[in-house]
Amino acid sequence: MNQNEILRVKNLVRNIPDFPVPGIQFKDLTTAFKNPTALRVLTDALVELYKDRGVTKVVGIESRGFIGGSMLAVSLGAGFVPIRKPGKLPAETLSRSYDKEYGTDTIEIHSDAIEPGDVVVLHDDLLATGGTMRAAYELVKSMGPQKIYINFLCELDALNGRQLLPNDVEVTSLFSF
Ligand code: AMP
């Protein structure tokens, strides 16, 4: 991973104070995603992390996790599985509720989306408190895949979200704030 390139991507991320509620410093990655070079740098860095791991499925968390998750899945030759907000997935689902930095939420996954032989990368754009990824991990873990990795494009160090994630799972991110 070229740290100078990653730093340039990080510097493209826009900070929006008090969004969506007062006190939150919202990291808006759309200002990085709209830049073709940044999009390529992010994709290449993700692929470098997971290219030799036998990944069969990338699970992306709605909605910003769909962007990096799709890019990674295509590049690895893996499938893509969405984790969505309640009521969006049309077939039978499994669900989990959790607390997040602002409010409570529930996420769902199709109950036939993961098979026992799968090697899964769970992906989201950003790690804040860790509640979302913790719930996603528990959902996918309950489906019995062979292996789970966890990845974010970036993390907010001050919130220490990693403490909510399991110790025995490799967690990566490309940059932090
Ligand atoms: P958490 O469950 O607290 O780790 O929150 C992670 C999820 O909420 C991710 O899907 C992020 O996209 C979103 N999120 C939470 N806090 C922020 C923030 N400060 N800036 C941007 N996105 C955030």
Side-chain angles (χ1 to χ4, degrees), residues 86 93-97 106-109 135 139:
T93 58
L94 300 169
S95 70
R96 278 275 193 294
S97 296
T106 300
I107 52 172
E108 296 186 342
I109 189 169
L139 265 185

Side-chain angles (χ1 to χ4, degrees), residues 44-55 72 75-76 121:
D44 289 349
L46 291 180
V47 171
E48 198 180 315
L49 284 172
Y50 294 105
K51 65 183 177 204
D52 298 319
R53 308 289 187 96
V55 175
L72 178 59
S75 301
L76 290 177
V121 178

Side-chain angles (χ1 to χ4, degrees), residues 98-113:
Y98 63 98
D99 296 324
K100 50 189 269 181
E101 198 182 0
Y102 37 87
T104 304
D105 224 334
T106 300
I107 52 172
E108 296 186 342
I109 189 169
H110 272 144
S111 49
D112 61 358

Side-chain angles (χ1 to χ4, degrees), residues 19 24-29 61-65 98-102 124-133 152 156 159 161:
F19 181 88
I24 299 292
Q25 298 292 325
F26 192 87
K27 301 300 177 194
D28 175 17
L29 276 86
I61 301 177
E62 182 171 359
S63 57
R64 290 176 291 270
Y98 63 98
D99 296 324
K100 50 189 269 181
E101 198 182 0
Y102 37 87
D124 203 356
D125 67 328
L126 181 141
L127 172 63
T129 64
T132 309
M133 187 54 85
F152 304 91
L156 304 183
L159 294 176

Side-chain angles (χ1 to χ4, degrees), residues 10-165:
K10 176 180 170 178
N11 288 336
L12 288 173
V13 174
R14 171 164 59 186
N15 188 73
I16 313 278
D18 300 321
F19 181 88
V21 294
I24 299 292
Q25 298 292 325
F26 192 87
K27 301 300 177 194
D28 175 17
L29 276 86
T30 64
T31 42
F33 292 148
K34 76 175 178 182
N35 179 296
T37 306
L39 203 56
R40 167 55 56 198
V41 167
L42 290 171
T43 306
D44 289 349
L46 291 180
V47 171
E48 198 180 315
L49 284 172
Y50 294 105
K51 65 183 177 204
D52 298 319
R53 308 289 187 96
V55 175
T56 57
K57 301 240 172 79
V58 178
V59 176
I61 301 177
E62 182 171 359
S63 57
R64 290 176 291 270
F66 292 173
I67 300 162
S70 302
M71 298 189 299
L72 178 59
V74 171
S75 301
L76 290 177
F80 178 81
V81 171
I83 282 185
R84 299 209 60 184
K85 303 196 168 112
K88 301 285 187 187
L89 291 170
E92 188 187 309
T93 58
L94 300 169
S95 70
R96 278 275 193 294
S97 296
Y98 63 98
D99 296 324
K100 50 189 269 181
E101 198 182 0
Y102 37 87
T104 304
D105 224 334
T106 300
I107 52 172
E108 296 186 342
I109 189 169
H110 272 144
S111 49
D112 61 358
I114 302 293
E115 284 146 49
D118 278 328
V119 176
V120 175
V121 178
L122 265 167
H123 170 86
D124 203 356
D125 67 328
L126 181 141
L127 172 63
T129 64
T132 309
M133 187 54 85
R134 173 82 202 194
Y137 172 80
E138 286 171 358
L139 265 185
V140 171
K141 178 81 177 165
S142 75
M143 302 166 90
Q146 188 182 320
K147 178 95 184 160
I148 302 175
Y149 299 104
I150 292 177
N151 168 262
F152 304 91
L153 296 180
C154 64
E155 59 186 296
L156 304 183
D157 285 343
L159 294 176
N160 205 10
R162 284 185 183 237
Q163 78 182 6
L164 264 194
L165 302 177

